[in-house]
Amino acid sequence: MKRSSVLAMASAVLMTAAASSAMAQGAEEIRIVLPEQPANLEPCGTIITNVGQILSQNVVEPLTVIDPKTGQPQPKLATEWTQVDPVTWRLKLRDGVKFQDGSDFNAEAVVFSINRMTGGKLTCSNIAKFGDAKLTVTAVNDLTVEIKSDKPQPILPTLLSVVMVVSPKTPEDKAVNDPVGTGPFKLSTFSPETVVLDAFDGYWGQKPEFTKATYVWRPESSIRAAMVETGEADLTPSIAIQDASNPETDFAYLNSETTAIRIDTAQPPLDDLRVRKALNLAIDWEGLAQLFGDDVKRASQMVVPGINGHDEKLEAWPYDPEEAKKLLEEAAADGVAVDTEIKLIGRNGIYPNGAEAMEAMMTMWQAVGLNVKLTMLDVADWLRYLQKPFPEERGANLLQMMHDNNKGDAAFTIPIFYRSSGNYSTLADPALDKEIDTALAATGEDRTKSFKAIFDKARKEVVADIPMFHMIGYTRVGARLDWKPDITTNSEIPLANIRLKD
């Protein structure tokens, strides 16, 4: 589509939207345009970008937050913590906090929230960060909780940054779309068109400058950029590089996301190591990078530089289509059905130029002789393939992913993807499980070395994924806002941190 046609479409959308809301936003309202509609508003799914950007630190709050500069846990609903022994932590809770439904925040509410997350009665994406850890939570007194794990958890305060505390009145056995938390905003409406948040007068902390926040979604990057340019929206957290054309409003940032393709190693012919290696070797990485800009960084592992366990010496897969063809020929000679149809499952709106990247990769795989067919899904259907239990009828598949780790430690990555019990893992390798458990219990330099060894094995011996790029994000911010993105922006956009310019 020509740029003039896209801009015309954008103008039409903006005129329609302006009919239902004033073009100039009031000083007390902020309007944010996202790339895709959230599948739900379940607080146990805030690690999913389009849920976390709305809920996290706005409607619901965690026990700890991670400082984006140091990677260290900081107080939020928990004010301090002490490790009693290798498997026990004791937390002091913030006093004087209320839920938006009037309930008291206390130790019993924390016990309820953690048990709801770990109890298995609902699908909880956030639990993936804990691997297969078993937690026992006890209220010591009204403002003290004790958390015991079945194995040492040396970074439990960091892990607690994904525990979103909800009202004890929340259903324990089903996902919700009407979350009640302790944050500065409460949910007003959630419809197919918008999410609207209203300020919570009883908030314990710093009051935001806005009394209302409205979220809308548009899949086209050019339309999102145009909405901010014209004032119909105040910011959009994600635009494509070709739309980041105004240095006054558009900001590039290393966003902690690693794009990748997960290989379903349980499904033939993907259960053959040679086929998995061929998938990595068949991609023209230099050509593919042109979709994401000059600053994008080629990935050899599933965490960005700066995360404990990242191995800066681990080399990414090269582009070698001839070697890919050779590996496939060897596999075919041994009876592997390399011509089996492989479903490439993409997600609409996952990142700018994401669909174009999938189309290009499909073509490259077809060029070396693989029978890959692309299917693009909306987030709700895509989630069925991302997390267990996987669809029984899925067949051979490759899944487009974008993994966010801004928590400072590879424990938020390795168990999810490479342990047999991991929420996103297609592996069943007891020996690797043992290595992972040893690494998770380690501290200091031993922890770092163990994580690096696992990433090395994942890249060279296991090949359960196709690491693509450590991503550079591009955000457009309206002229009236004083705010810039950082490494946490793909996970959350705390409205209390956004200021109006004088």
Side-chain angles (χ1 to χ4, degrees):
M1 182 180 294
K2 293 182 179 179
R3 182 169 177 82
S4 58
S5 300
V6 172
L7 291 176
M9 185 188 302
S11 298
V13 171
L14 297 181
M15 291 176 64
T16 301
S20 59
S21 63
M23 181 69 76
Q25 298 297 318
E28 295 184 343
E29 179 180 356
I30 185 170
R31 191 172 178 89
I32 297 173
V33 55
L34 304 175
E36 57 183 345
Q37 178 182 1
N40 56 49
L41 291 182
E42 167 53 54
C44 212
T46 53
I47 67 169
I48 304 299
T49 296
N50 57 24
V51 179
Q53 287 180 333
I54 296 174
L55 295 186
S56 183
Q57 297 204 68
N58 293 325
V59 176
V60 292
E61 297 180 303
L63 291 166
T64 64
V65 294
I66 305 302
D67 185 320
K69 295 181 180 179
T70 66
Q72 295 302 306
Q74 302 296 317
K76 194 68 177 185
L77 292 178
T79 57
E80 56 183 280
W81 41 88
T82 304
Q83 188 168 20
V84 178
D85 59 50
V87 296
T88 308
W89 287 81
R90 185 166 289 188
L91 284 74
K92 296 290 186 181
L93 305 179
R94 191 174 297 278
D95 194 9
V97 177
K98 291 278 190 181
F99 287 100
Q100 294 140 7
D101 62 4
S103 304
D104 290 329
F105 166 75
N106 52 30
E108 291 296 340
V110 173
V111 172
F112 171 81
S113 296
I114 294 179
N115 287 342
R116 182 177 185 267
M117 184 182 79
T118 61
K121 294 181 180 180
L122 76 159
T123 300
C124 177
S125 298
N126 289 17
I127 191 61
K129 299 294 187 180
F130 285 83
D132 66 341
K134 303 294 189 296
L135 304 180
T136 302
V137 193
T138 305
V140 177
N141 58 46
D142 202 42
L143 291 175
T144 307
V145 295
E146 192 168 85
I147 303 176
K148 288 184 176 289
S149 55
D150 61 336
K151 60 188 72 172
Q153 294 289 345
I155 62 161
L156 186 71
T158 299
L159 291 169
L160 294 177
S161 65
V162 300
V163 175
M164 297 295 159
V165 180
V166 296
S167 166
K169 298 177 183 178
T170 305
E172 191 173 3
D173 58 350
K174 63 179 180 180
V176 299
N177 282 321
D178 54 351
V180 175
T182 60
F185 287 84
K186 57 185 179 180
L187 179 67
S188 175
T189 60
F190 176 27
S191 73
E193 290 77 34
T194 62
V195 171
V196 179
L197 308 180
D198 290 327
F200 172 41
D201 292 336
Y203 182 55
W204 63 268
Q206 177 183 341
K207 299 291 192 292
E209 294 194 11
F210 305 97
T211 59
K212 181 179 181 180
T214 299
Y215 299 82
V216 298
W217 31 89
R218 301 287 185 269
E220 300 87 355
S221 168
S222 57
I223 291 179
R224 295 195 301 277
M227 290 176 71
V228 178
E229 183 178 0
T230 62
E232 174 61 20
D234 289 296
L235 74 86
T236 181
S238 178
I239 58 174
I241 183 174
Q242 62 265 27
D243 297 315
S245 55
N246 184 348
E248 298 296 320
T249 60
D250 303 338
F251 303 96
Y253 63 103
L254 182 63
N255 65 11
S256 80
E257 298 276 9
T258 301
T259 54
I261 304 294
R262 187 194 63 196
I263 304 172
D264 195 333
T265 60
Q267 302 292 314
L270 303 176
D271 57 350
D272 189 276
L273 180 62
R274 292 165 294 190
V275 176
R276 302 200 296 272
K277 289 182 176 181
L279 285 162
N280 278 278
L281 291 165
I283 302 302
D284 178 358
W285 296 108
E286 185 175 339
L288 194 66
Q290 294 178 18
L291 289 170
F292 306 114
D294 294 338
D295 296 323
V296 74
K297 300 180 185 300
R298 180 79 174 89
S300 62
Q301 56 211 283
M302 291 297 296
V303 293
V304 297
I307 298 298
N308 183 34
H310 176 89
D311 186 356
E312 66 282 356
K313 296 181 181 179
L314 185 59
E315 294 184 358
W317 286 91
Y319 174 43
D320 192 340
E322 295 308 313
E323 179 64 17
K325 292 177 182 177
K326 180 181 176 182
L327 288 169
L328 293 174
E329 290 170 359
E330 290 176 0
D334 288 340
V336 177
V338 297
D339 58 347
T340 300
E341 181 175 312
I342 300 170
K343 186 188 301 182
L344 173 59
I345 302 169
R347 187 182 110 193
N348 293 318
I350 189 170
Y351 47 79
N353 295 332
E356 291 83 352
M358 294 303 98
E359 291 170 356
M361 294 176 81
M362 177 185 67
T363 300
M364 294 172 194
W365 284 322
Q366 291 173 346
V368 297
L370 288 164
N371 183 14
V372 178
K373 301 292 176 62
L374 175 61
T375 299
M376 297 297 297
L377 300 177
D378 289 332
V379 62
D381 289 330
W382 172 85
L383 281 170
R384 294 176 56 240
Y385 291 89
L386 173 67
Q387 55 197 15
K388 293 175 177 174
F390 303 130
E392 292 184 6
E393 76 287 354
R394 66 192 185 278
N397 70 91
L398 307 168
L399 187 76
Q400 181 184 26
M401 301 187 305
M402 185 164 67
H403 173 61
D404 176 22
N405 185 339
N406 55 34
K407 305 297 188 183
D409 195 274
F412 286 90
T413 299
I414 283 174
I416 304 173
F417 291 107
Y418 304 128
R419 203 185 188 287
S420 301
S421 60
N423 257 25
Y424 308 160
S425 174
T426 68
L427 298 171
D429 187 337
L432 184 58
D433 292 346
K434 187 175 180 180
E435 282 188 52
I436 291 171
D437 291 343
T438 300
L440 293 174
T443 58
E445 188 61 27
D446 287 342
R447 186 180 185 87
T448 302
K449 288 180 179 179
S450 297
F451 283 150
K452 287 183 177 182
I454 292 168
F455 281 127
D456 188 82
K457 180 171 286 189
R459 154 70 173 83
K460 298 175 181 177
E461 300 177 31
V462 178
V463 194
D465 45 37
I466 304 165
M468 295 170 58
F469 302 102
H470 302 311
M471 299 293 279
I472 299 296
Y474 297 90
T475 294
R476 177 162 288 187
V477 182
R480 73 187 190 120
L481 299 187
D482 182 10
W483 180 82
K484 290 183 180 180
D486 61 29
I487 196 171
T488 69
T489 297
N490 267 40
S491 302
E492 59 186 20
I493 306 174
L495 297 171
N497 294 345
I498 301 176
R499 299 283 179 267
L500 286 164
K501 292 180 179 178
D502 296 333

